[in-house]
Amino acid sequence: MAKIPSIPSSVIAASGLVGGYGVARWTRKRQLGGVVLAAAGATAAQQWRKQAGGKAAGALTVTYIAAFAGSHPLAKKVGAWPAVFGVAGAVALASWAVADRNA
């Protein structure tokens, strides 16, 4: 049986930020967006812990949460979608550098 490749944690984390915002915006239910955000964050955190250890997973989790929080004031300056894509890219880059690069 062929091994199914796993999705890199950087992709999961970025998708959680973009997907969470998209779901909240399109359904007009912020709670649903929060579920997407939290599920992707928890999934990425599990991979971070496996790939890079607990301290790195903790730091990346804080980065993920800070990116979510920081996207709100950033959106007032550059717009909602550019802010979300910007923080998602930053989290993806951090995740790749810390956990995915050597996986």
Side-chain angles (χ1 to χ4, degrees):
M1 184 186 269
K3 181 182 175 196
I4 298 172
S6 65
I7 299 169
S9 61
S10 54
V11 173
I12 295 169
S15 297
L17 290 161
V18 173
Y21 175 69
V23 167
R25 182 174 176 137
W26 290 316
T27 65
R28 298 177 197 237
K29 298 191 186 305
R30 294 177 72 183
Q31 301 87 342
L32 287 178
V35 169
V36 171
L37 180 80
T43 301
Q46 285 180 333
Q47 279 190 252
W48 292 330
R49 189 173 19 259
K50 278 188 211 173
Q51 294 171 338
K55 285 185 182 181
L60 287 168
T61 300
V62 168
T63 302
Y64 184 78
I65 294 166
F68 166 69
S71 69
H72 293 82
L74 183 59
K76 292 179 181 179
K77 296 180 189 255
V78 299
W81 280 112
V84 170
F85 284 127
V87 300
V91 168
L93 181 60
S95 179
W96 176 82
V98 173
D100 293 341
R101 179 174 43 168
N102 298 320

